[in-house]
Amino acid sequence: MRMKSIRLGLIALLITPAAAILGQSDFGNPLNGLETLKDFQSMRASSTDPNWQNGNHDSRPIEPGQTLTLADLKGPGRIVHFWNTIADTEPYYSRLLSLRIYWDGETNPSVQCPIGDFFGVGNGIDQPFDSLPVSVSSNGRGRNCYWPMPFRKSARVTVTNDGKERCGSFYYQIDWQKLGSLPKTSAYFHAMYRQEYPCVMGRNYLIADIQGRGQYVGTVLSVCLVSPRWFGEGNDYFFVDGENEPGLRGTGTEDYFCEGWGFSPGTQPYFGASYWEGDAGDPVGNVGSFYRWHIPDPVSFKKSLRVEIEHKGAQTFPDGTKTGFTERDDLFSSVAFWYQTVPHKPYPDLPPGPDRLPLRDVILVTSAEAKSAKHSDAAVTVEHFGNINRFWQVWLQPENTNAWMEIPFHATKALDSDLVLKTVHAWNSGIYNVLLDGKQLAQLDLYASEPTAATDKLGMVHLDPGAHVLRFECAGKSAGSMGYALGFGSLISRSMAYSRSATVDLRTLQKH
């Protein structure tokens, strides 16, 4: 029933003017009005092959540093649906592709943020989820936006590749309505990205600093945890029209995002965690994205709006003392969504693409190197996994538990970081012990009812320069699995963009 209500709500957004959506608190029957003839011309800008009758080159590449114009529209009009899917093999590509939208010939974009974050999932992760204005399908690769975006004179939509590698294929469709005129009350859609790596001691994390008249309609917050223990005790604050004290005051980070007693993966029409992954026992390096859409409860402002959230939670200090409420130096990034009159306050420049990534990956072993690995008497095949952003995987397909695979690799320098496996979990996968240089790091159950690309953490490891051996030993299979297979993609050394020394006491950094 929830999925059905979401889809009906999307229809309501598509056919309802922005001003009406922002002002109403009860959609009623979202199909009401479909029988009434509308006075607009249906239009579309897309990446379809210019040779539309005989061609199938329906995408566009984007070279590093280059900008692709998706649409250059003449108004009055209203964008009602924006879909895209992307073939890009660079890790965390969705944080490296920058979306910008310009209304009515403005030089400062009203929308400026990484494309993944705009569609509700930060940190460069591909993850499916459903909400009312944004829905992502196909293992995180089919992105849909239904925010209504009116414009009076023109609309220009661009994507810039701020990564180091070529974006091979960018497919898109932008559906819009050509109108005779817009109501005077129609405001312009805005979205702005910010980040702090790490959050700055002595001040709240700033989500939005807006000047003008409008209505605030949503927040996406993404995190990467630097410290152990719980991070989400920080309250949200909305300062409306220059208030010295916030008129809207929250009770905790997960409370603002309509959760309770922590976060867990799950999505609703107006709120949810589009993803939340990591080790509950050792949350350092855990990453997640959370969204809150203020659709039934937009925050109205006449002159200005400032939105902040505290970066506070539990902490253990180097001397062993503990507290449940103090500032933390986690990595925060966010997108604020709102409608307002023009002109808007210009945004700060986006950080360079690589500086937006909270995680740094160094690939130690690839599937290409694993092709020649030593292994037990079992069939080994090499094939692609995935239809769009594909990667090679090595399949070890034993018939019993007497299975192993051993992959040598070389570290060019000393590393202290998390080791991460890229694997495929499948209906016929087994349970494997993972060993490094003869020492067991983890036991992984690779079973999944449907084939899934997975990230398996092996923990913090020190690697000396020189030769090493990664070994997998079959330890059986779960009750639901039909086999003992191992699907190996790569071994990665993963570190954070910022990692505080355990000897640094945050109390010395606070500037209250």
Side-chain angles (χ1 to χ4, degrees):
M1 290 299 294
R2 182 173 68 83
M3 289 298 298
K4 181 179 180 181
S5 66
I6 289 174
R7 294 190 179 96
L8 293 177
L10 294 177
I11 296 172
L13 274 173
L14 188 148
I15 65 176
T16 307
I21 288 174
L22 294 175
Q24 68 185 43
S25 60
D26 182 7
F27 285 107
N29 182 355
L31 299 182
N32 282 344
L34 281 180
E35 77 284 2
T36 303
L37 297 179
K38 306 297 189 294
D39 189 17
F40 60 77
Q41 181 181 359
S42 298
M43 308 287 286
R44 175 178 291 172
S46 76
S47 58
T48 187
D49 193 323
N51 182 14
W52 56 273
Q53 292 179 309
N54 298 304
N56 193 38
H57 297 288
D58 292 329
S59 66
R60 303 287 183 272
I62 314 176
E63 300 295 336
Q66 297 301 303
T67 296
L68 173 66
T69 297
L70 310 187
D72 198 350
L73 314 177
K74 302 302 179 185
R78 178 172 55 236
I79 295 173
V80 292
H81 175 223
F82 176 19
W83 165 89
N84 67 79
T85 191
I86 305 165
D88 191 324
T89 58
E90 186 166 6
Y92 310 116
Y93 71 92
S94 66
R95 183 50 79 78
L96 302 172
L97 297 175
S98 303
L99 173 69
R100 292 180 175 87
I101 304 179
Y102 305 80
W103 307 123
D104 295 355
E106 62 186 355
T107 57
N108 297 306
S110 290
V111 172
Q112 179 175 268
C113 56
I115 199 159
D117 298 74
F118 180 82
F119 287 88
V121 184
N123 295 326
I125 303 297
D126 284 351
Q127 177 69 28
F129 81 100
D130 286 302
S131 75
L132 192 55
V134 176
S135 183
V136 182
S137 64
S138 187
N139 292 320
R141 300 170 307 206
R143 297 176 172 90
N144 291 272
C145 163
Y146 291 90
W147 290 112
M149 305 181 197
F151 55 96
R152 289 175 172 81
K153 297 179 182 179
S154 65
R156 184 162 63 94
V157 183
T158 69
V159 172
T160 301
N161 183 358
D162 292 321
K164 297 179 180 179
E165 299 179 14
R166 182 177 189 261
C167 173
S169 299
F170 194 101
Y171 298 80
Y172 64 90
Q173 296 178 24
I174 298 176
D175 294 301
W176 64 288
Q177 300 165 350
K178 180 77 170 179
L179 304 170
S181 63
L182 282 173
K184 292 182 179 180
T185 54
S186 294
Y188 292 84
F189 181 76
H190 291 70
M192 181 187 67
Y193 173 84
R194 290 196 74 259
Q195 69 178 47
E196 286 183 5
Y197 291 174
C199 290
V200 179
M201 295 293 139
R203 73 184 190 199
N204 294 337
Y205 177 80
L206 178 64
I207 295 173
D209 185 10
I210 303 166
Q211 294 179 356
R213 181 184 179 189
Q215 291 161 147
Y216 189 85
V217 296
T219 305
V220 170
L221 178 68
S222 300
V223 301
C224 179
L225 302 190
V226 171
S227 298
R229 306 186 67 194
W230 172 240
F231 83 99
E233 292 299 324
N235 298 341
D236 63 284
Y237 298 122
F238 286 74
F239 298 82
V240 180
D241 295 336
E243 292 175 324
N244 291 323
E245 295 186 2
L248 284 72
R249 310 178 194 184
T251 57
T253 304
E254 80 269 37
D255 305 349
Y256 170 66
F257 291 98
C258 303
E259 300 282 353
W261 304 104
F263 287 107
S264 59
T267 61
Q268 301 290 334
Y270 300 134
F271 66 90
S274 51
Y275 78 98
W276 179 233
E277 65 179 38
D279 185 351
D282 180 16
V284 175
N286 284 10
V287 291
S289 284
F290 322 108
Y291 64 92
R292 164 75 181 273
W293 307 133
H294 293 265
I295 293 175
D297 57 340
V299 179
S300 178
F301 54 94
K302 292 184 173 65
K303 297 179 181 179
S304 65
L305 179 68
R306 185 177 178 89
V307 184
E308 301 177 353
I309 194 165
E310 298 173 314
H311 47 97
K312 292 182 177 180
Q315 188 64 256
T316 301
F317 298 109
D319 61 6
T321 60
K322 296 181 178 182
T323 178
F325 186 65
T326 191
E327 287 190 301
R328 291 170 53 96
D329 53 347
D330 298 307
L331 314 187
F332 276 22
S333 54
S334 61
V335 181
F337 299 82
W338 73 95
Y339 289 86
Q340 75 161 92
T341 55
V342 292
H344 68 270
K345 182 178 180 179
Y347 306 157
D349 291 337
L350 286 177
D355 291 348
R356 301 174 208 163
L357 303 181
L359 302 174
R360 304 284 193 262
D361 285 2
V362 176
I363 299 177
L364 300 174
V365 183
T366 68
S367 56
E369 296 165 308
K371 286 191 295 186
S372 57
K374 298 178 181 178
H375 58 84
S376 58
D377 185 16
V380 173
T381 59
V382 181
E383 58 189 70
H384 271 124
F385 179 81
N387 295 324
I388 299 177
N389 300 309
R390 302 188 297 174
F391 66 89
W392 287 102
Q393 60 168 332
V394 173
W395 273 108
L396 179 71
Q397 297 175 307
E399 296 182 355
N400 52 51
T401 57
N402 298 322
W404 57 271
M405 183 165 68
E406 199 168 81
I407 310 171
F409 68 96
H410 188 273
T412 59
K413 61 180 181 180
L415 293 170
D416 288 282
S417 63
D418 279 315
L419 286 189
V420 175
L421 284 172
K422 292 288 188 179
T423 60
V424 176
H425 293 201
W427 57 272
N428 63 339
S429 294
I431 298 172
Y432 278 83
N433 294 326
V434 184
L435 298 89
L436 177 66
D437 299 333
K439 178 182 178 181
Q440 183 169 327
L441 300 181
Q443 184 176 92
L444 304 176
D445 186 349
L446 305 179
Y447 169 76
S449 58
E450 297 290 338
T452 304
T455 300
D456 297 306
K457 293 178 66 173
L458 302 179
M460 180 68 71
V461 173
H462 171 79
L463 284 177
D464 290 321
H468 300 275
V469 176
L470 177 69
R471 181 179 172 90
F472 298 89
E473 296 178 352
C474 186
K477 64 182 181 67
S478 65
S481 179
M482 301 298 291
Y484 302 91
L486 165 67
F488 172 82
S490 59
L491 175 68
I492 295 171
S493 167
R494 173 168 292 173
S495 58
M496 285 183 285
Y498 162 82
S499 182
R500 171 175 45 84
S501 169
T503 62
V504 175
D505 194 326
L506 291 181
R507 290 171 291 192
T508 67
L509 303 177
Q510 295 173 356
K511 303 174 182 178
H512 292 300

